[in-house]
Amino acid sequence: MEAQPRPEELLCEILRTAAGGVSSSVIFTRQRVILRVAFWLLKPFAFFTRRLDWVVGPEDIALMATHIAAALPRSYTAIHARNPFYAVEYDAVIQKPSTALGGRISVWRRLYGGPLLLAWLVNRSRGFIYVGGGAYLEGHHDEREFEFAFIRRHGRRLVCYFTGNDIRSPKLMAQRAERTGRPNIGTALMAADPVFASDEYDDARRLRAQVAERYAETIFTAREDQLSYLTRPTRPFLYFYPDELFAAASDKFDSTERVVVVHAPSNPLLKGTDAVRQVMARIMQENPGVDYRELIGVPHEKVLRALDEAHIALNEFYSSMPGVFGVEAMARRCVLVTSARVADEPDLGSEAADAWVVADVGTLHDVVTGILSHPERMAPQAESGYEWARLHASASACSRVIAEILGPPAASAKA
């Protein structure tokens, strides 16, 4: 019988051929081998390293992974790629910018760095918090079934933290739009690209929900705004907005002769930006004292500076809860205008009812005009939003909640 290669020889052979033109399924097969072999090869070294409570990653959508890790002691951020709009440091980044000298190494890192890093971290950590729908392996092949099973098989805890389209079903959202008579993110997605209306896309979201429910001990999501195929009870989405970014009292409402209105969409299509532009063009004609500023693809620091000068912030108008920009706006003491409704998203809690001003794409003009007509009400409204964000969306408030939900890091996960 021909001699079988040793695990370390097999691992080296896979890495040597990493940059070859191979299919995604072949890469996934190789990644699984690397994960299994590397786990045992690296296990002895883990005894000499610092133990971790939580690994948070592999995506840092709107800095959620960064904020969650900051809220939980002894956490470790392991990210596939840096977010270009935020200057933050991570404990581990899989993908590095390609250079003339390091092109092949960059390819190896992108294709096979994930399973190597995961093998190392499963040895060192007590649990994983997956932010978004990404994976350390080619997770789209099985919606992370193999990866999650591997983590749980080795006795590690597992938490899923969904942030939007990573779990949302456009088809279910479209059915809700028919019931409510209002468009939403799902209908916007389906109108933009037929792929979001396809059975294949919907089936993938259904499988992702099933896998999450099979392996995760806790799932965080927005039950209605991120309408999905999840069936078991979930935990409300938490924002973890940094306490130090809450602005001190401002005098910007003392003079409202020139009112600054800011809109900073991360995705103009899904935030209703076309409608915002039309409405604001009309409002500026009717009110020469209005200064509309639209920020797209700019550094985060520039957005914060704009909010410090703004009186009104226009968030998103197909959603049932404020986006991260909406929380930022309230934290910087702006009057927030958004389509979020407590009646549509009970996870927000009744305290949110007066924190912002509700408007849809069809009512935005009248709502903004009404705010401009009563400038004396802007400062109290901004203060209401500020207080709600401080009590319910700040890092300190959310840290207490997640610590209570997850309990001691070493607690046994539910099988």
Side-chain angles (χ1 to χ4, degrees):
M1 179 181 293
E2 185 175 298
Q4 295 297 313
R6 290 178 299 172
E8 58 269 28
E9 293 174 343
L10 181 59
L11 180 60
C12 290
E13 177 61 26
I14 289 173
L15 293 175
R16 277 196 297 270
T17 61
V22 293
S23 69
S24 178
S25 60
V26 171
I27 291 172
F28 184 49
T29 299
R30 290 177 175 177
Q31 288 178 334
R32 288 181 292 179
V33 173
I34 291 172
L35 178 61
R36 292 190 184 104
V37 174
F39 173 80
W40 294 108
L41 290 177
L42 295 173
K43 193 174 186 63
F45 301 97
F47 289 110
F48 303 100
T49 58
R50 180 174 63 92
R51 192 72 170 171
L52 305 171
D53 285 344
W54 294 104
V55 173
V56 188
E59 299 177 285
D60 198 17
I61 302 167
L63 287 184
M64 287 305 303
T66 296
H67 294 162
I68 292 171
L72 298 171
R74 293 164 58 91
S75 291
Y76 186 96
T77 49
I79 305 296
H80 257 299
R82 295 185 182 278
N83 190 318
F85 299 111
Y86 299 98
V88 296
E89 293 299 321
Y90 302 111
D91 294 300
V93 179
I94 297 170
Q95 296 185 35
K96 298 286 187 179
S98 179
T99 64
L101 295 177
R104 179 174 288 270
I105 294 176
S106 296
V107 172
W108 286 348
R109 291 179 66 105
R110 177 175 59 83
L111 296 180
Y112 301 114
L116 284 171
L117 179 61
L118 181 60
W120 176 236
L121 293 176
V122 170
N123 274 304
R124 291 185 59 195
S125 70
R126 294 185 172 92
F128 288 77
I129 300 176
Y130 274 72
V131 178
Y136 293 100
L137 278 61
E138 291 277 348
H140 67 274
H141 282 280
D142 63 353
E143 293 301 333
R144 308 186 286 194
E145 173 98 29
F146 174 84
E147 191 165 325
F148 284 4
F150 184 88
I151 291 171
R152 294 304 303 272
R153 187 164 60 250
H154 290 285
R156 305 304 185 255
R157 301 179 67 185
L158 181 64
V159 173
C160 285
Y161 204 103
F162 292 113
T163 63
N165 288 331
D166 46 23
I167 194 65
R168 182 183 289 119
S169 164
K171 284 193 173 183
L172 294 180
M173 296 292 289
Q175 294 172 11
R176 179 179 152 197
E178 291 181 4
R179 294 194 301 270
T180 63
R182 295 192 303 272
N184 56 44
I185 294 177
T187 56
L189 284 169
M190 295 170 73
D193 192 332
V195 70
F196 294 109
S198 67
D199 291 337
E200 292 79 8
Y201 185 89
D202 204 55
D203 289 343
R205 291 302 176 274
R206 188 192 305 273
L207 177 58
R208 182 172 296 176
Q210 292 170 346
V211 170
E213 291 191 320
R214 197 150 46 238
Y215 296 101
E217 63 176 85
T218 303
I219 299 174
F220 291 85
T221 187
R223 173 63 70 166
E224 294 299 324
D225 188 69
Q226 297 169 187
L227 194 59
S228 69
Y229 290 104
L230 294 168
T231 58
R232 79 180 208 207
T234 59
R235 297 289 187 171
F237 181 91
L238 302 171
Y239 290 94
F240 295 96
Y241 193 69
D243 291 65
E244 63 272 17
L245 294 183
F246 279 74
S250 169
D251 60 358
K252 62 184 176 182
F253 291 103
D254 291 350
S255 176
T256 55
E257 292 180 0
R258 186 154 196 83
V259 176
V260 178
V261 181
V262 170
H263 179 54
S266 56
N267 185 320
L269 174 68
L270 300 185
K271 308 303 182 183
T273 299
D274 284 347
V276 169
R277 289 169 180 166
Q278 295 175 14
V279 166
M280 291 312 303
R282 180 180 168 189
I283 285 178
M284 285 189 292
Q285 286 184 337
E286 300 166 346
N287 300 271
V290 172
D291 179 7
Y292 172 63
R293 302 175 187 177
E294 185 176 294
L295 304 174
I296 298 178
V298 303
H300 186 233
E301 292 76 13
K302 188 172 182 179
V303 173
L304 295 181
R305 288 196 298 269
L307 288 174
D308 285 338
E309 299 177 0
H311 300 85
I312 302 171
L314 307 181
N315 185 203
E316 49 188 307
F317 299 96
Y318 295 124
S319 178
S320 300
M321 62 184 295
V324 172
F325 172 71
V327 172
E328 288 178 331
M330 289 186 284
R332 308 305 273 203
R333 298 180 183 271
C334 299
V335 175
L336 177 63
V337 182
T338 184
S339 58
R341 288 175 170 82
V342 174
D344 289 346
E345 182 51 87
D347 278 355
L348 286 170
S350 59
E351 302 90 347
D354 299 320
W356 54 81
V357 182
V358 177
D360 298 304
V361 290
T363 62
L364 182 58
H365 174 271
D366 292 344
V367 168
V368 174
T369 299
I371 295 172
L372 296 172
S373 300
H374 297 280
E376 74 282 357
R377 299 178 185 174
M378 285 196 283
Q381 178 62 58
E383 186 65 21
S384 294
Y386 176 89
E387 284 301 314
W388 180 86
R390 184 179 65 83
L391 295 173
H392 299 281
S394 65
S396 55
C398 295
S399 295
R400 289 191 293 270
V401 174
I402 198 170
E404 181 179 345
I405 291 172
L406 298 184
S412 298
K414 181 173 61 178

